Amino acid sequence: MGLDPATVRSERVLSTVCMITPWCLTVGFTLSFGGLFSKTWRVATIFTSAKKSNKKIIIKDTHLFGVMAVLLVVDVIVLGAWLLIDPLQPVEHHLPTEDKPEDDAVIHPVTTVCKSGQASVFTWVLYAFKGLVLIYGSFLAWETRKVRMKELNDSKQIGICIYTVFILCAVAVPIVNFADMRKSVLYGFVSLLVLFATTITLGFVFIPKFYKLNRVEVESEEPARSGTKVTQLSSHQGGVADALRLTIQQKDEKIYELETKLRALTTSGAEDDLLEEEL
């Protein structure tokens, strides 16, 4: 959580903070990615069933909440078992000493980290579960990449968010678990990745919605100049229809003229005169 142990003297508070960190990361990931995953799952299920059996399937919002509830239940089971069996505890980690001859001092840096004997087991269980959900979510996003419907107009943005989260997790997990770097640098790296992922997700999901909402408000405030979208569409369609009618009328007149000349050629036999007239 980035707390300074010097300001928090209680071991109990530090132990609580240690276990709050995986709970916040895991549940937060499920709440954010679970919504994207469940919505993509609904789109994929509807279109896959329509292609196979031509049957209409209705998936309500309650089904989506059910999917998220299942993901949360798995998180609670794993984290609860971790908390009961071997919770994280604060442990002081002594770094190499630093000599300061100019100050006649020796600095002994100490950092506090959260560790437990079974931490790696529960961490990799969560990694495996989240990884499977990410892979399946990426597959669903790829399957629905060509869906273009007004009611599902954010499927493309959701797919981009899923791809982004998948790539960031694929980069972050090896670095966090295997890279040899200072704790402060590692903490800053993870924080930046979390902020970047959440910003990208919020931006792709909500900015297009606010943009469309703003356009609707502007169009409603200027009816005299631009009119409503229905009126504009009707006027445009009427103009196209009039142009097509005029073209058809001109073609009919040309056809009638050519048919008249053809009859004259076949009946009078004045081919040469008509040819000169045509030239």
Side-chain angles (χ1 to χ4, degrees):
M1 297 293 287
L3 295 178
D4 186 2
T7 60
V8 182
R9 301 294 182 179
S10 175
E11 290 290 332
R12 184 176 181 180
V13 173
L14 289 176
S15 300
T16 303
V17 170
C18 283
M19 281 308 302
I20 286 178
T21 302
W23 277 85
C24 289
L25 288 175
T26 305
V27 175
F29 179 88
T30 299
L31 291 177
S32 59
F33 182 79
L36 303 177
F37 170 79
S38 59
K39 195 168 184 179
T40 307
W41 168 77
R42 174 165 64 179
V43 176
T45 302
I46 291 174
F47 279 86
T48 301
S49 301
K51 289 181 180 179
K52 290 182 178 180
S53 60
N54 293 324
K55 293 182 180 180
K56 185 178 180 181
I57 295 180
I58 298 176
I59 300 179
K60 300 180 180 179
D61 292 341
T62 53
H63 296 97
L64 305 186
F65 286 118
V67 173
M68 291 188 62
V70 171
L71 298 177
L72 284 173
V73 166
V74 176
D75 290 342
V76 171
I77 291 175
V78 176
L79 292 171
W82 190 356
L83 180 63
L84 294 175
I85 296 173
D86 189 14
L88 291 171
Q89 297 294 333
V91 178
E92 289 187 351
H93 181 66
H94 294 270
L95 303 175
T97 59
E98 301 178 6
D99 294 331
K100 296 290 184 179
E102 63 277 8
D103 298 330
D104 193 20
V106 178
I107 299 176
H108 297 275
V110 178
T111 182
T112 302
V113 295
C114 298
K115 290 185 177 182
S116 68
Q118 303 296 324
S120 59
V121 176
F122 290 103
T123 300
W124 283 105
V125 169
L126 291 173
Y127 282 160
F129 174 61
K130 301 301 181 185
L132 291 175
V133 176
L134 273 174
I135 293 173
Y136 187 52
S138 300
F139 169 75
L140 294 179
W142 177 259
E143 288 292 312
T144 59
R145 68 190 185 281
K146 295 182 180 179
V147 174
R148 297 291 184 272
M149 289 185 64
K150 182 179 179 181
E151 295 79 4
L152 306 171
N153 56 3
D154 57 351
S155 58
K156 184 177 180 180
Q157 289 83 358
I158 292 176
I160 294 174
C161 294
I162 293 176
Y163 296 146
T164 303
V165 173
F166 178 79
I167 294 172
L168 290 177
C169 290
V171 172
V173 170
I175 293 177
V176 170
N177 289 275
F178 303 110
D180 186 14
M181 61 177 63
R182 296 183 61 179
K183 299 298 180 181
S184 57
V185 177
L186 183 62
Y187 177 78
F189 175 76
V190 174
S191 300
L192 286 176
L193 283 182
V194 172
L195 289 175
F196 181 73
T198 53
T199 303
I200 290 293
T201 302
L202 292 174
F204 274 109
V205 173
F206 290 104
I207 287 180
K209 297 182 183 298
F210 284 119
Y211 175 72
K212 292 180 181 179
L213 180 62
N214 185 57
R215 286 187 60 185
V216 171
E217 292 178 352
V218 171
E219 290 174 358
S220 63
E221 290 174 358
E222 300 178 355
R225 186 179 68 179
S226 59
T228 61
K229 292 189 71 176
V230 176
T231 304
Q232 290 179 350
L233 182 60
S234 300
S235 301
H236 176 69
Q237 290 177 344
V240 173
D242 292 338
L244 290 175
R245 291 192 191 98
L246 179 60
T247 302
I248 293 172
Q249 183 179 357
Q250 292 174 348
K251 297 295 182 181
D252 289 340
E253 292 175 356
K254 186 65 176 178
I255 291 172
Y256 177 76
E257 181 182 352
L258 294 175
E259 288 178 346
T260 302
K261 290 182 179 182
L262 181 61
R263 283 195 298 268
L265 284 172
T266 56
T267 56
S268 64
E271 292 89 349
D272 297 333
D273 293 337
L274 287 173
L275 181 59
E276 290 177 0
E277 203 176 307
E278 186 71 16
L279 295 174

